[in-house]
Amino acid sequence: MPATIVVGTQWGDEGKGRFTDLLAKEMSMVVRYQGGHNAGHTLVVDGETFALQLVPSGVLYHYITPVIGNGVVVDPRVLIAEIDMLTGRGVDCSRLKVSGNAHLIMPYHTELDALHERHLGDAKLGTTKRGIGPAYADKAMRVGLRVQDLADPKIFRQKLEVVLSHTNQVLTRVFDRPPVDGEAIAAQYLDECAPRILPLITDSVGLLHDALEAGQEVLLEGAQATFLDLDHGTYPFVTSSNPVAGGACTGSGIGPRHIDRIVGVAKAYVTRVGSGPFPTELLDDVGDHLVDVGQEYGVNTRRRRRPGWLDAVMVRHAVRVNSLTEIAITKLDVLDGLDSLKVCVAYEIDGELCTNLPYHQSQLHAAVPVYEELPGWNTDLSAVTNPRQLPAAAAEYIEFLESQIGVPIRLVGVGPGREQYLDRNDRLVA
Ligand code: GDP
Ligand code: IMO
Ligand code: MG
């Protein structure tokens, strides 16, 4: 049976969590395939807000198995805290599974993340300081510890000794910091974390394929987004994993032939947290409106997100690199009350018009957006339940985006609540 991917088309925080939660209704498994607790996915159900970092967004359905795939980096202390938080709020996490092949975020990864950022000074990336980059670096260096190592104290200690023989040199000689104490880490991870994590460890690849073969539907939940992708994003201002749809295959062990629906989530405008190029960035009152009305502050870090107009050049590129079959737009309601709206349809770079994303980073830094201006609307969209009730200007905005992006826009968010969305497939239904 087929699998669906939900992937961000901008710089993250598009509302992937809320649409994953919505689409999960029809699924039996929801899988996180990359990233770690740098993610913050918000679900609003029956007026209750859940901010998830590592636990997949299908967890609220009692019949869904949430799976943390092999491509994720897991800080077991954070995972345990998140499970406890959810359990305390009445969410049953007993079905949660974690791939034994997922890599562990260790305390020294978090420390190194902060030290690297400080070292970069003004050139810092603005990471979430969660240890994501250093954990993936150790994975690529083949000195990482994996979730399955929690099951074998001897191997855990051996691997830790190997990695610390190098990491402690970096900490002491490069950053002038004290060395980390391997025994203290082993005690925390093996004595405190392992008893909680071991029951969750599973052969996630086997589990997912058994489900697919039994005719069940699987949803792959992306974290971060296309333009934070290590290969396809605005390098070096990216994360250290592959959020794009291809990453869903490597990060879960499901091959491409199983995927038949790839939903790209786009905010009706754009936000970005951290440093990096942003052609349509708004440093004016309209930007402040988007931040205030859209409550554009990081779910976990509370950092103010940088706002801008929707960039169709970016979303078109996301359609290409992810093979998107459809787009889901979020936060259309945040545009309520603006007199007019702009959509970037091309860039002017060194006097030339570019409708495709330039591959060269300095060209993106130099890109001047070419805008199409559309009328705004003065209606509160948050109570609209059917696309036919949309004011003409809002319908026109969506149709214009669709014509620019080139794939159907099916779902449109008009509020954060699970039910606050429009299904444009309903347009023709009387
Ligand atoms: P994610 O990381 O892609 O899952 O997105 P975040 O949860 O970080 O950020 C999206 C924010 O927008 C959250 O606060 C959501 O509750 C909120 N949100 C999602 N969809 C909508 C929508 O259609 N309208 C409004 N007003 N808020 C939304
Ligand atoms: P969700 O899944 C928005 C950004 C950071 C920084 C860069 C690298 O909620 O959309 P990292 O800690 O990953 O090394 O930081 O990536 N970033 C995100 N921005 N949403 C996210 O996740 C992000 N995860 C990382 O701000 O610019
Ligand atoms: Mg987020």
Side-chain angles (χ1 to χ4, degrees):
M1 280 297 279
T4 298
I5 301 174
V6 171
V7 60
T9 61
Q10 296 158 330
W11 280 296
D13 302 327
E14 297 91 348
K16 299 174 293 294
R18 72 83 51 106
F19 275 137
T20 298
D21 166 69
L22 182 77
L23 296 170
K25 198 173 168 197
E26 313 293 329
M27 309 283 163
S28 60
M29 294 193 179
V30 177
V31 190
R32 272 282 305 273
Y33 57 83
Q34 45 66 238
H37 65 297
N38 48 348
H41 294 183
T42 317
L43 323 181
V44 181
V45 179
D46 297 332
E48 260 201 272
T49 301
F50 298 89
L52 303 177
Q53 295 181 269
L54 276 166
V55 173
S57 296
V59 68
L60 299 186
Y61 297 91
H62 67 86
Y63 49 87
I64 282 179
T65 305
V67 181
I68 296 179
N70 55 275
V72 176
V73 282
V74 179
D75 186 326
R77 300 162 299 174
V78 174
L79 180 58
I80 291 166
E82 190 169 335
I83 293 169
D84 289 346
M85 177 276 288
L86 288 167
T87 309
R89 294 181 63 185
V91 178
D92 177 11
C93 294
S94 63
R95 297 168 319 280
L96 178 67
K97 306 285 178 215
V98 183
S99 165
N101 286 353
H103 276 246
L104 289 170
I105 293 187
M106 309 293 282
Y108 47 86
H109 291 138
T110 318
E111 185 177 356
L112 284 171
D113 198 350
L115 290 169
H116 281 298
E117 281 286 270
R118 201 182 310 157
H119 178 73
L120 286 171
D122 288 344
K124 72 172 188 213
L125 307 178
T127 75
T128 58
K129 298 193 183 141
R130 302 288 156 95
I132 305 295
Y136 279 115
D138 275 358
K139 176 179 176 177
M141 285 289 284
R142 291 146 295 174
V143 293
L145 278 83
R146 295 191 289 176
V147 168
Q148 60 182 288
D149 297 327
L150 291 170
D152 191 329
K154 193 164 158 237
I155 289 185
F156 186 96
R157 285 196 166 83
Q158 271 172 5
K159 291 189 172 180
L160 188 59
E161 195 181 326
V162 170
V163 67
L164 284 187
S165 66
H166 173 262
T167 300
N168 273 335
Q169 296 289 322
V170 174
L171 284 171
T172 55
R173 291 174 182 237
V174 178
F175 293 112
D176 201 19
R177 298 284 304 159
V180 297
D181 175 3
E183 228 1 86
I185 295 175
Q188 186 182 34
Y189 275 53
L190 294 171
D191 300 342
E192 291 173 30
C193 300
R196 296 287 307 277
I197 303 291
L198 293 186
L200 314 179
I201 300 180
T202 198
D203 164 20
S204 56
V205 176
L207 182 78
L208 290 170
H209 282 278
D210 286 347
L212 289 166
E213 281 158 27
Q216 297 173 8
E217 301 241 0
V218 171
L219 181 60
L220 298 149
E221 176 184 13
Q224 291 81 53
T226 304
F227 292 91
L228 289 172
D229 185 279
L230 183 58
D231 288 80
H232 297 285
T234 47
Y235 190 91
F237 304 104
V238 294
T239 192
S240 301
S241 66
N242 288 115
V244 295
C249 293
T250 52
S252 68
I254 295 179
R257 276 168 33 131
H258 283 289
I259 316 289
D260 79 335
R261 185 178 181 194
I262 308 176
V263 182
V265 184
K267 216 174 258 191
Y269 46 98
V270 186
T271 59
R272 159 161 225 175
V273 202
S275 322
F278 187 168
T280 64
E281 183 166 17
L282 286 167
L283 301 168
D284 59 7
D285 291 353
V286 179
D288 290 342
H289 170 102
L290 298 175
V291 171
D292 292 346
V293 179
Q295 279 300 294
E296 295 297 353
Y297 296 93
V299 174
N300 301 307
T301 61
R302 301 309 303 160
R303 287 183 294 173
R304 185 186 195 272
R305 296 171 180 154
R306 298 158 61 195
W309 291 120
L310 190 132
D311 187 338
V313 181
M314 286 177 67
V315 184
R316 281 200 293 267
H317 192 73
V319 170
R320 286 179 156 184
V321 298
N322 294 295
S323 300
L324 298 182
T325 55
E326 67 186 281
I327 294 279
I329 296 280
T330 57
K331 297 195 143 181
L332 190 65
D333 53 300
V334 174
L335 302 181
D336 293 356
L338 290 172
D339 290 337
S340 70
L341 308 169
K342 289 183 183 170
V343 176
C344 171
V345 295
Y347 301 139
E348 197 188 302
I349 304 171
D350 298 330
E352 302 240 340
L353 198 69
C354 303
T355 48
N356 287 330
L357 196 84
Y359 91 94
H360 203 289
Q361 186 83 1
S362 38
Q363 290 196 321
L364 191 63
H365 280 276
V368 178
V370 177
Y371 286 116
E372 196 80 40
E373 196 158 348
L374 292 102
W377 54 89
N378 233 327
T379 315
D380 172 11
L381 296 190
S382 65
V384 173
T385 54
N386 186 301
R388 282 172 298 135
Q389 298 167 346
L390 279 176
E396 194 190 320
Y397 185 72
I398 295 294
E399 278 156 26
F400 180 75
L401 295 185
E402 198 168 51
S403 71
Q404 280 293 318
I405 294 167
V407 293
I409 295 175
R410 176 162 176 189
L411 301 170
V412 178
V414 289
R418 185 186 267 174
E419 318 297 337
Q420 288 181 294
Y421 73 95
L422 312 174
D423 186 342
R424 291 176 78 244
N425 269 14
D426 292 345
R427 265 176 308 172
L428 305 176
V429 180

